[in-house]
Coordinates of all heavy atoms in Angstrom, one line a residue:
K344 N 0.8 -1.2 0.0 CA 0.0 0.0 0.0 C 0.8 1.3 0.0 O 0.3 2.4 -0.2 CB -1.0 0.0 1.2 CG -0.4 0.0 2.5 CD -1.5 0.1 3.6 CE -0.9 0.1 5.0 NZ -2.0 0.2 6.1
W345 N 2.2 1.2 0.2 CA 3.0 2.3 0.2 C 3.8 2.4 -1.1 O 4.4 1.3 -1.5 CB 4.0 2.3 1.3 CG 3.4 2.9 2.6 CD1 3.2 4.2 2.9 CD2 3.1 2.1 3.8 NE1 2.7 4.3 4.2 CE2 2.6 3.0 4.7 CE3 3.1 0.8 4.1 CZ2 2.1 2.6 6.0 CZ3 2.6 0.4 5.3 CH2 2.2 1.3 6.2
Y346 N 3.8 3.5 -1.8 CA 4.5 3.6 -3.1 C 5.4 4.8 -3.1 O 5.0 6.0 -2.8 CB 3.4 3.8 -4.2 CG 2.6 2.5 -4.4 CD1 1.6 2.2 -3.6 CD2 3.0 1.6 -5.4 CE1 0.8 1.0 -3.7 CE2 2.2 0.4 -5.5 CZ 1.2 0.1 -4.7 OH 0.5 -1.0 -4.8
N347 N 6.7 4.5 -3.3 CA 7.8 5.5 -3.2 C 7.6 6.7 -4.1 O 7.3 6.5 -5.3 CB 9.1 4.8 -3.4 CG 10.3 5.8 -3.3 OD1 10.4 6.5 -2.3 ND2 11.1 5.8 -4.3
V348 N 7.9 7.9 -3.6 CA 7.9 9.1 -4.4 C 9.3 9.6 -4.3 O 9.7 10.2 -3.3 CB 6.9 10.2 -3.9 CG1 7.0 11.4 -4.8 CG2 5.5 9.6 -3.9
P349 N 10.2 9.5 -5.4 CA 11.5 10.0 -5.3 C 11.5 11.5 -5.1 O 10.8 12.2 -5.8 CB 12.1 9.6 -6.7 CG 11.3 8.4 -7.1 CD 9.9 8.7 -6.6
R350 N 12.3 12.0 -4.2 CA 12.4 13.4 -3.9 C 12.9 14.2 -5.1 O 12.6 15.4 -5.3 CB 13.3 13.7 -2.7 CG 12.5 13.4 -1.4 CD 13.3 13.9 -0.2 NE 12.6 13.8 1.1 CZ 11.8 14.7 1.6 NH1 11.7 15.9 1.0 NH2 11.2 14.5 2.8
S351 N 13.6 13.5 -6.0 CA 14.1 14.2 -7.2 C 13.0 14.6 -8.1 O 13.2 15.4 -9.1 CB 15.2 13.4 -7.9 OG 14.6 12.1 -8.3
F352 N 11.8 14.0 -8.0 CA 10.6 14.3 -8.8 C 9.9 15.6 -8.3 O 9.1 16.1 -9.0 CB 9.6 13.2 -8.8 CG 10.0 12.0 -9.5 CD1 9.2 10.8 -9.5 CD2 11.2 11.9 -10.3 CE1 9.5 9.7 -10.2 CE2 11.5 10.8 -11.0 CZ 10.7 9.7 -11.0
L353 N 10.3 16.1 -7.1 CA 9.5 17.1 -6.4 C 10.1 18.5 -6.6 O 11.3 18.7 -6.7 CB 9.4 16.8 -4.9 CG 8.7 15.5 -4.6 CD1 8.6 15.3 -3.1 CD2 7.3 15.3 -5.2
K354 N 9.2 19.5 -6.5 CA 9.5 20.9 -6.4 C 9.2 21.3 -5.0 O 8.5 20.6 -4.3 CB 8.7 21.7 -7.4 CG 8.8 21.3 -8.8 CD 7.8 22.2 -9.7 CE 6.4 21.9 -9.4 NZ 5.5 22.6 -10.3
P355 N 9.7 22.4 -4.5 CA 9.4 22.8 -3.1 C 7.9 23.0 -2.9 O 7.4 22.6 -1.8 CB 10.2 24.2 -3.0 CG 11.3 24.1 -4.0 CD 10.7 23.3 -5.1
T356 N 7.2 23.5 -3.8 CA 5.8 23.7 -3.7 C 5.1 23.4 -5.0 O 5.7 23.4 -6.1 CB 5.4 25.2 -3.3 OG1 5.9 26.1 -4.3 CG2 6.1 25.6 -2.0
G357 N 3.7 23.2 -4.9 CA 2.9 23.1 -6.1 C 3.1 21.8 -6.9 O 3.1 21.8 -8.1
N358 N 3.4 20.7 -6.2 CA 3.6 19.4 -6.9 C 2.2 18.9 -7.3 O 1.3 18.9 -6.5 CB 4.3 18.4 -6.0 CG 5.7 18.9 -5.7 OD1 6.6 18.9 -6.5 ND2 6.0 19.4 -4.5
Q359 N 2.1 18.4 -8.5 CA 0.9 17.8 -9.0 C 0.8 16.3 -8.8 O 1.7 15.6 -9.3 CB 0.6 18.2 -10.4 CG -0.7 17.7 -11.0 CD -1.0 18.2 -12.4 OE1 -1.7 19.2 -12.6 NE2 -0.5 17.4 -13.4
L360 N -0.2 15.8 -8.2 CA -0.5 14.4 -8.1 C -1.7 14.0 -8.9 O -2.8 14.6 -8.7 CB -0.7 14.1 -6.6 CG -1.2 12.7 -6.3 CD1 -0.2 11.6 -6.7 CD2 -1.6 12.6 -4.8
V361 N -1.5 13.1 -9.8 CA -2.6 12.6 -10.7 C -2.7 11.1 -10.5 O -1.7 10.4 -10.5 CB -2.4 13.0 -12.1 CG1 -3.5 12.4 -13.0 CG2 -2.4 14.5 -12.3
I362 N -4.0 10.6 -10.3 CA -4.2 9.2 -10.1 C -5.3 8.7 -11.0 O -6.3 9.4 -11.2 CB -4.6 9.0 -8.6 CG1 -3.5 9.4 -7.6 CG2 -5.0 7.5 -8.4 CD1 -3.9 9.2 -6.2
L363 N -5.0 7.6 -11.6 CA -6.1 6.9 -12.4 C -6.6 5.7 -11.5 O -5.8 4.8 -11.2 CB -5.5 6.4 -13.7 CG -6.4 5.3 -14.4 CD1 -7.8 5.9 -14.8 CD2 -5.7 4.7 -15.6
E364 N -7.8 5.8 -11.1 CA -8.4 4.7 -10.3 C -9.3 3.9 -11.2 O -10.3 4.4 -11.7 CB -9.2 5.3 -9.1 CG -10.0 4.3 -8.3 CD -9.1 3.1 -7.8 OE1 -8.1 3.4 -7.1 OE2 -9.5 2.0 -8.0
E365 N -9.0 2.6 -11.4 CA -9.8 1.7 -12.2 C -11.1 1.2 -11.5 O -12.1 0.9 -12.1 CB -9.0 0.5 -12.7 CG -7.9 0.8 -13.6 CD -7.2 -0.5 -14.0 OE1 -7.8 -1.6 -13.9 OE2 -6.0 -0.4 -14.4
E366 N -10.9 1.1 -10.2 CA -12.0 0.5 -9.4 C -12.8 1.6 -8.7 O -13.2 2.6 -9.3 CB -11.5 -0.5 -8.4 CG -10.8 -1.7 -9.2 CD -10.2 -2.7 -8.3 OE1 -10.0 -2.5 -7.1 OE2 -9.8 -3.8 -8.8
T367 N -13.0 1.5 -7.4 CA -13.8 2.5 -6.6 C -13.0 3.0 -5.4 O -13.5 2.9 -4.3 CB -15.2 2.0 -6.2 OG1 -15.0 0.7 -5.5 CG2 -16.0 1.7 -7.4
G368 N -11.8 3.5 -5.6 CA -11.0 4.0 -4.5 C -11.5 5.3 -3.9 O -12.3 6.0 -4.5
N369 N -11.0 5.6 -2.8 CA -11.4 6.8 -2.1 C -10.2 7.8 -1.9 O -9.4 7.6 -1.0 CB -12.0 6.5 -0.7 CG -12.4 7.7 0.1 OD1 -12.6 8.8 -0.5 ND2 -12.6 7.6 1.4
P370 N -10.0 8.8 -2.7 CA -8.8 9.6 -2.7 C -8.6 10.4 -1.4 O -7.5 10.7 -1.1 CB -8.9 10.5 -3.9 CG -10.4 10.5 -4.2 CD -10.9 9.2 -3.8
I371 N -9.7 10.7 -0.7 CA -9.5 11.5 0.5 C -8.9 10.7 1.7 O -8.7 11.2 2.7 CB -10.9 12.2 1.0 CG1 -11.9 11.1 1.4 CG2 -11.4 13.1 -0.1 CD1 -13.2 11.8 1.9
G372 N -8.7 9.4 1.4 CA -8.0 8.5 2.4 C -6.5 8.4 2.2 O -5.8 7.8 2.9
I373 N -6.0 9.1 1.1 CA -4.6 9.0 0.8 C -3.8 9.9 1.7 O -4.3 11.0 2.1 CB -4.4 9.4 -0.7 CG1 -5.1 8.4 -1.6 CG2 -2.9 9.5 -1.0 CD1 -5.0 8.8 -3.1
S374 N -2.6 9.5 2.0 CA -1.7 10.4 2.8 C -0.3 10.3 2.2 O 0.0 9.3 1.5 CB -1.7 10.0 4.3 OG -1.1 8.7 4.5
L375 N 0.5 11.3 2.4 CA 1.9 11.3 2.1 C 2.7 11.0 3.3 O 2.6 11.8 4.3 CB 2.3 12.6 1.4 CG 3.7 12.7 0.8 CD1 3.8 11.8 -0.4 CD2 4.0 14.2 0.5
D376 N 3.4 10.0 3.4 CA 4.1 9.5 4.6 C 5.6 9.6 4.5 O 6.2 9.4 3.4 CB 3.7 8.1 4.9 CG 2.3 7.9 5.2 OD1 1.5 8.9 5.2 OD2 1.8 6.7 5.4
S377 N 6.2 10.0 5.5 CA 7.7 10.0 5.6 C 8.1 8.7 6.2 O 7.4 8.1 7.0 CB 8.2 11.2 6.4 OG 7.8 11.1 7.8
I378 N 9.3 8.2 5.8 CA 9.8 7.0 6.2 C 11.1 7.2 6.9 O 12.1 7.8 6.4 CB 10.0 6.0 5.0 CG1 8.7 5.9 4.2 CG2 10.5 4.6 5.5 CD1 8.9 5.3 2.8
S379 N 11.2 6.8 8.2 CA 12.5 6.9 8.9 C 12.8 5.6 9.6 O 11.9 4.8 9.9 CB 12.3 8.1 9.9 OG 11.3 7.8 10.8
I380 N 14.1 5.5 9.9 CA 14.6 4.3 10.6 C 14.6 4.7 12.1 O 15.3 5.6 12.5 CB 16.0 3.9 10.1 CG1 16.0 3.6 8.6 CG2 16.5 2.7 10.9 CD1 15.1 2.5 8.2
T381 N 13.8 4.0 12.9 CA 13.7 4.4 14.3 C 14.4 3.4 15.2 O 14.8 3.7 16.3 CB 12.2 4.4 14.7 OG1 11.6 3.1 14.4 CG2 11.5 5.5 14.0
K382 N 14.7 2.2 14.7 CA 15.4 1.2 15.5 C 16.4 0.4 14.6 O 16.2 0.3 13.4 CB 14.4 0.2 16.1 CG 13.5 0.7 17.1 CD 13.0 -0.4 18.0 CE 12.3 -1.5 17.2 NZ 11.8 -2.6 18.1
T383 N 17.5 0.0 15.2 CA 18.4 -0.9 14.5 C 18.8 -2.1 15.4 O 19.0 -1.9 16.6 CB 19.7 -0.1 14.1 OG1 20.7 -1.0 13.5 CG2 20.4 0.5 15.4
C384 N 18.8 -3.2 14.8 CA 19.0 -4.4 15.6 C 20.1 -5.3 15.0 O 20.1 -5.4 13.7 CB 17.7 -5.2 15.7 SG 17.8 -6.8 16.6
G385 N 20.9 -5.9 15.8 CA 22.0 -6.7 15.3 C 22.0 -8.1 16.0 O 21.8 -8.1 17.2

């Protein structure tokens, strides 16, 4: 359910997101998430 957005694709502001939905998705449930490493185990 998570799909990477390379930062090299982005501008500081006004980035356009376009989605083609074949089925019956709900776009207002989408979020842009940051990914960070919070733990490391060896």
Side-chain angles (χ1 to χ4, degrees):
K344 64 179 181 180
W345 278 285
Y346 292 81
N347 178 52
V348 180
R350 281 189 175 266
S351 58
F352 288 176
L353 301 182
K354 303 177 294 183
T356 60
N358 297 286
Q359 180 174 270
L360 170 63
V361 176
I362 298 177
L363 166 65
E364 173 58 52
E365 292 180 25
E366 298 178 347
T367 54
N369 179 17
I371 65 174
I373 295 173
S374 66
L375 187 67
D376 296 358
S377 66
I378 307 168
S379 60
I380 303 299
T381 57
K382 293 201 305 179
T383 178
C384 177

